[in-house]
Amino acid sequence: MHELPVTESILTIALRYAEREHATSISDLYLVIGDLSSIVDESVQFYWDIISRDTIAEGATLHFERTPMQMVCFDCGKTYRPEPGTLSCPGCGSTIVQVAGGEDFRLEAITVEKDENTEKANEAAPSVDGVIEET
Amino acid sequence: MDVIKVPVVEEILSANDQLAVANRELLDANKVFGVNIMSSPGSGKTSTIVATQERLKDSLRLGMVDGDIATTIDADRAAEAGMQAVQINTGGNCHLDAVMVSQGIRSLKLEDLDLMIIENVGNLICPSSFKLGTHISVLIASVPEGADKPYKYPPMYRGVDAVIINKIDVLPYFDFDMDYFVKGVEMLNPGVKSFPISNKTGEGLDAWADWLYEQVAAYQQSAAE
Ligand SMILES: Nc1nc2c(ncn2[C@@H]2O[C@H](COP(=O)(O)OP(=O)(O)OP(=O)(O)O)[C@@H](O)[C@H]2O)c(=O)[nH]1
Ligand SMILES: [Mg+2]
Ligand SMILES: [Zn+2]
Ligand SMILES: [Zn+2]
């Protein structure tokens, strides 16, 4: 429901890291998103196609790694995915349990392309804060 | 052309989280205790905030930041009850974020406050994902919504410091399985405080207000040291 600001955050982070690498383009983004995050992949993709236009990330592929909701039982040690409408342990029925997965919400990595000339220029004049200096 | 994979490992909402830290610093600089109140629409956020003001106004100075989609009705109710109140226009947003709250906090006279309560946008899906910088967050559930809400909207019950169960006056008319509800909350958020209340009869409100007062007093004491 709020995928637009989320997608904007993803773009901002990706561009920041790409700039740090003096990349000329971003080709892939690897996202890890837990099922507890209430984010719909298709909506992120939809906004991505719009907001990445005219940036070095235009046309980049979004890879979604979905992590399921997981719980762990303190009584029998079982790790499980709760069935709808339940949370308690399906193994022993215990309610002494804890959420153990599914809350991820991060950008794990990006794949970027670098121009060799840019790289040489950077070696010659190491830049501060990702600003490429003229040589 | 070189192709390289660059590790990032950054939380997607890191920019929001950083701003939330800045909000917290602003509150701390003024020794104001912040509370983020979340619930689905109509669960009783405004009613509970006004009832809290009535119970604490002789000992604490309360302010309210209202994240309403368009109207100032809720902020007006709080102002009428004697609170410093500001409404932030969320422009149809489904949640409050740290940027909006930052604007809200800045339009309050923080030096005249002890406790600032934020009424989040009525929504049971996403407000909990966005840190605002408050010291605690509270979820209000209400009897007519049904006892299955923790099971259907688990993220909202994670990370809150207290759960209020409002409208217990209507328990006789609903098949609200309190045991099922409380167990669900406890499994998602072990040890969380819970307060059954009714804004209609006043039941349970003193216990809630006393607890909140203790939180503020402990905060102010540690801030003074
Ligand atoms: N019976 C009963 N009604 C209540 C109680 N608390 C609130 N209400 C009623 O529930 C309705 C919604 O209450 P509000 O306090 O406005 O709820 P809210 O969560 O602020 O609503 P939004 O800001 O619109 O999301 C009002 O008609 C209240 O009078 C209660 O404890 N018992
Ligand atoms: Mg309200
Ligand atoms: Zn078990
Ligand atoms: Zn939202």
Side-chain angles (χ1 to χ4, degrees):
Chain A
M1 49 197 324
H2 52 242
E3 275 82 352
L4 178 57
V6 162
T7 313
E8 284 167 343
S9 302
I10 294 169
L11 180 62
T12 306
I13 297 169
L15 290 178
R16 177 153 40 85
Y17 278 81
E19 194 179 328
R20 216 176 269 178
E21 295 293 327
H22 309 289
T24 50
S25 70
I26 302 174
S27 59
D28 298 271
L29 288 88
Y30 298 88
L31 298 155
V32 182
I33 297 185
D35 281 342
L36 284 168
S37 71
S38 63
I39 283 289
V40 181
D41 301 1
E42 288 74 21
S43 302
V44 174
Q45 184 72 55
F46 171 80
Y47 287 120
W48 176 260
D49 294 341
I50 297 168
I51 66 167
S52 66
R53 242 174 244 161
D54 301 324
T55 73
I56 61 165
E58 179 167 354
T61 309
L62 299 180
H63 303 267
F64 294 93
E65 181 189 335
R66 278 280 177 179
T67 55
M69 179 179 184
Q70 287 211 312
M71 304 207 54
V72 60
C73 174
F74 285 118
D75 278 326
C76 73
K78 188 181 169 70
T79 302
Y80 59 97
R81 292 189 200 179
E83 291 293 322
T86 73
L87 289 166
S88 52
C89 175
C92 72
S94 172
T95 57
I96 315 294
V97 297
Q98 199 173 53
V99 175
E103 296 186 297
D104 310 86
F105 201 52
R106 61 181 187 276
L107 179 59
E108 191 102 301
I110 56 176
T111 304
V112 301
E113 279 167 15
K114 290 164 85 152
D115 189 359
E116 278 152 49
N117 295 334
T118 327
E119 261 180 285
K120 289 216 180 74
N122 295 332
E123 274 161 34
S127 64
V128 186
D129 293 337
V131 179
I132 298 168
E133 278 147 358
E134 297 284 339
T135 46
Chain B
M1 194 76 93
D2 287 348
V3 177
I4 59 163
K5 193 163 175 178
V6 183
V8 175
V9 197
E10 185 159 323
E11 290 298 315
I12 291 168
L13 297 175
S14 58
N16 182 78
D17 294 349
Q18 281 163 23
L19 208 72
V21 170
N23 287 347
R24 170 76 69 94
E25 284 166 358
L26 185 60
L27 291 173
D28 286 342
N30 290 279
K31 297 192 179 61
V32 176
F33 189 76
V35 180
N36 174 17
I37 296 204
M38 299 175 284
S39 86
S40 45
S43 300
K45 295 180 291 297
T46 311
S47 306
T48 305
I49 291 168
V50 168
T52 306
Q53 157 75 356
E54 279 157 9
R55 279 163 182 78
L56 295 181
K57 67 182 174 206
D58 294 333
S59 41
L60 296 174
R61 299 163 300 169
L62 277 73
M64 185 246 215
V65 172
D66 169 34
D68 221 306
I69 285 182
T71 73
T72 60
I73 298 172
D74 290 353
D76 293 345
R77 280 168 71 190
E80 233 165 78
M83 300 172 79
Q84 241 197 80
V86 346
Q87 189 243 347
I88 37 181
N89 200 334
T90 60
N93 219 317
C94 44
H95 59 264
L96 285 178
D97 64 25
V99 181
M100 301 178 212
V101 165
S102 157
Q103 292 159 359
I105 297 180
R106 274 159 224 281
S107 44
L108 287 172
K109 275 209 204 96
L110 289 177
E111 62 276 19
D112 293 342
L113 288 182
D114 300 302
L115 170 60
M116 178 207 60
I117 304 182
I118 298 173
E119 174 170 342
N120 215 310
V121 178
N123 180 352
L124 210 51
I125 298 179
C126 63
S128 64
S129 305
F130 294 82
K131 291 182 191 141
L132 304 181
T134 57
H135 298 85
I136 61 169
S137 51
V138 176
L139 183 81
I140 302 184
S142 67
V143 170
E145 292 166 57
D148 57 358
K149 291 301 160 291
Y151 302 87
K152 282 188 177 161
Y153 302 94
M156 289 296 290
Y157 288 84
R158 303 270 301 146
V160 294
D161 302 278
V163 172
I164 287 175
I165 308 149
N166 187 31
K167 311 194 187 181
I168 54 169
D169 56 289
V170 300
L171 271 172
Y173 312 103
F174 288 86
D175 296 323
F176 186 89
D177 186 342
M178 186 65 85
D179 193 47
Y180 182 59
F181 178 86
V182 169
K183 276 217 179 84
V185 173
E186 179 64 24
M187 285 189 273
L188 292 167
N189 193 341
V192 68
K193 276 264 158 202
S194 70
F195 298 96
I197 66 164
S198 165
N199 277 290
K200 182 112 180 162
T201 65
E203 193 181 343
L205 276 165
D206 286 340
W208 150 251
D210 288 349
W211 178 80
L212 183 58
Y213 178 81
E214 278 166 29
Q215 307 306 304
V216 181
Y219 167 75
Q220 289 184 330
Q221 182 139 22
S222 72
E225 272 159 17

